[in-house]
């Protein structure tokens, strides 16, 4: 089955009680047992809930995985992956990382004795140099946030496999429409479903998908044991969002290209980060592992002055200044003071998150209006 058909149908059965074609919102905490232990597969909604289960099967299918698990947020999903580790274990992570991911690594799990190495993964040699018998997890975010570095998932999975280390990929920016990390050898795919999967900026949620039954068992043990699950209403909203994921992603990619075409020749713009640009340093890998180049674009201003960037933010009329990304509406974000404020300045600047960097989540409005908005804001 092709992507759009799977997005709309996979894992979903008409409701057995009523025939409802859309998965109902099973807003219930518990399920009746006709005699002790005689139930229909559901006992208590932390452990499993029919609306959430439908979503979990659907996400697993579009990621070409077998098992899905949904959580109360993307960070709750990451929390679950890290709880598979033990004190003394080590993690190697991309340096150019979502700020909240950096924070949960450093400020939560480091105090439980897990050690994190943050490195550039543009080539595999950096990872090989740090790998040792304590390494248990490689964490990859690609495209990365906000400078859109692309990491070769297949090359990483080779190293992970030959060293018996788990490889997890944060696929939030790309979505399974553009890339399916499990097909490239990753063990776990993670999403902030808050972003493109939900797609309408109306829900906070996270998901994990894997193929391996042993990993799935661990995930379900922690999902139920720690209890950071999402509710039935939110599950319904994300299921509904996924049905148009392929349509939205096509528009996001098309509009991002239009925005990049405008920005790249603008006299006030310095760098433009978008993996679809042939001049992007990882363009070749992007072309190899992604179907298109996504809706996230970052750029910096000539001179790199904070005041100039703030003026641009103030002047936007269609772009809204806000955290988050992946919704139908266009958003603009000042990474250094918003999403990446938790990362120390030197670390930030090392990966190119400088004072004037503006990150755009290009929405699915009409491209002409988005370009016009950028034009007047840069003036
Ligand atoms: C938003 C985001 C997260 C965290 O997800 P929440 O749903 O906000 O908890 C993780 N990774 C990336 C790339 C994100 O954009």
């Amino acid at each position: 089955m092709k992507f759009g058909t799977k997005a709309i149908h996979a894992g979903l059965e008409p409701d057995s009680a009523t025939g409802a074609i859309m998965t109902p919102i099973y807003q219930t905490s518990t399920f009746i047992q006709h005699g002790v232990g005689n139930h229909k597969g559901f006992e208590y909604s932390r452990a499993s809930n029919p609306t959430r289960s439908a979503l979990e099967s659907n996400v697993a299918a579009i990621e070409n995985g077998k098992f899905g698990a949904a959580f109360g947020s993307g960070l709750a999903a990451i929390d679950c992956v890290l709880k598979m580790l033990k004190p003394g274990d080590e993690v190697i992570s991309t340096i150019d990382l979502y700020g909240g991911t950096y924070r949960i690594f450093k400020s939560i799990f480091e105090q439980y004795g897990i050690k994190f190495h943050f490195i550039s993964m543009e080539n595999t040699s950096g990872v090989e140099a740090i790998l040792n018998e304590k390494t248990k997890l490689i964490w990859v975010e690609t495209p990365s946030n906000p400078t859109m570095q692309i990491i070769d998932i297949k090359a990483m999975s080779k190293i992970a496999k030959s060293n018996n280390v788990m490889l997890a990929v944060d696929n939030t920016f790309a979505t399974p429409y553009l890339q399916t990390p499990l097909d490239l050898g990753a063990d776990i795919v993670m999403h902030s479903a808050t972003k493109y999967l939900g797609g309408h900026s109306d829900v906070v949620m996270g998901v994990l998908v894997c193929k391996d039954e042993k990993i799935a068992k661990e995930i379900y043990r922690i999902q139920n044991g720690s209890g950071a699950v999402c509710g039935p209403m939110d599950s319904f909203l994300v299921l509904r969002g996924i049905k148009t994921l392929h349509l939205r992603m096509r528009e996001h990619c098309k509009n991002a290209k239009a925005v990049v075409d405008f920005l790249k020749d603008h006299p006030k713009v310095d760098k433009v980060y978008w993996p679809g640009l042939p001049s992007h340093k990882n363009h070749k890998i992007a072309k190899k592992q992604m179907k298109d180049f996504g809706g996230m674009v970052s750029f910096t201003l000539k001179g790199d002055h904070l005041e100039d960037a703030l003026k641009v933010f103030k002047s936007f009329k269609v772009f809204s200044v806000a955290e988050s990304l992946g919704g139908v509406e266009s958003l603009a974000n000042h990474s250094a003071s918003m999403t990446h404020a938790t990362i120390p300045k030197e670390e930030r600047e090392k990966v190119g998150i400088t004072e004037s960097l503006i990150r755009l989540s290009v929405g699915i409005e009409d491209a002409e209006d988005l370009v016009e908005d950028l034009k007047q804001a840069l003036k």
Side-chain angles (χ1 to χ4, degrees), residues 72-76 78 98 100-101 141 143 145 170 172-173 190-195 204-206 324-325 359:
S73 70
L75 286 179
I78 296 173
Y98 176 71
T101 308
E141 193 179 308
N145 188 350
D170 183 336
T172 301
F173 272 34
M190 174 261 153
H191 276 279
S192 169
T194 314
K195 317 293 168 55
V204 172
M205 188 193 286
S324 201
L325 60 108
R359 190 194 75 182

